[in-house]
Amino acid sequence: MATVIENEMLSYFTQLDESEKRSVVELLKTFLKSRKEDKTVTVEDYNLDLIEGEKEFERGEYITHEQLKNAI
């Protein structure tokens, strides 16, 4: 049986477009990955994260500040 927070998350998630859903899923993966890994981040890993973020931006996988304000 789903909890109240799980139902709320599902309700919000289903209102997102595909690009927003991908962003949220990546965010959740990051949260879960950080639990399992050592908290130390190397410069190389940091730079790879920046490069991946730039690629996501170039693919249009982002929301604007205005879209975020409207979602809130």
Side-chain angles (χ1 to χ4, degrees):
M1 182 173 195
T3 65
V4 173
I5 192 70
E6 289 168 340
N7 286 331
E8 186 176 13
M9 287 177 61
L10 181 60
S11 172
Y12 286 123
F13 190 78
T14 58
Q15 296 176 52
L16 301 175
D17 65 28
E18 287 305 308
S19 177
E20 294 165 336
K21 287 177 182 178
R22 279 193 291 277
S23 294
V24 170
V25 168
E26 288 305 314
L27 176 68
L28 293 171
K29 285 180 184 179
T30 301
F31 283 155
L32 294 174
K33 185 178 176 185
S34 69
R35 284 186 187 173
K36 298 175 187 173
E37 294 180 351
D38 180 34
K39 302 290 184 200
T40 305
V41 177
T42 65
V43 171
E44 292 82 13
D45 289 339
Y46 179 74
N47 288 335
L48 289 173
D49 285 345
L50 291 176
I51 291 168
E52 181 57 31
E54 289 173 350
K55 288 179 182 177
E56 289 174 4
F57 179 79
E58 290 170 358
R59 290 191 303 261
E61 296 176 11
Y62 62 88
I63 62 171
T64 65
H65 183 252
E66 194 64 35
Q67 288 171 321
L68 180 59
K69 288 191 319 187
N70 289 338
I72 292 171

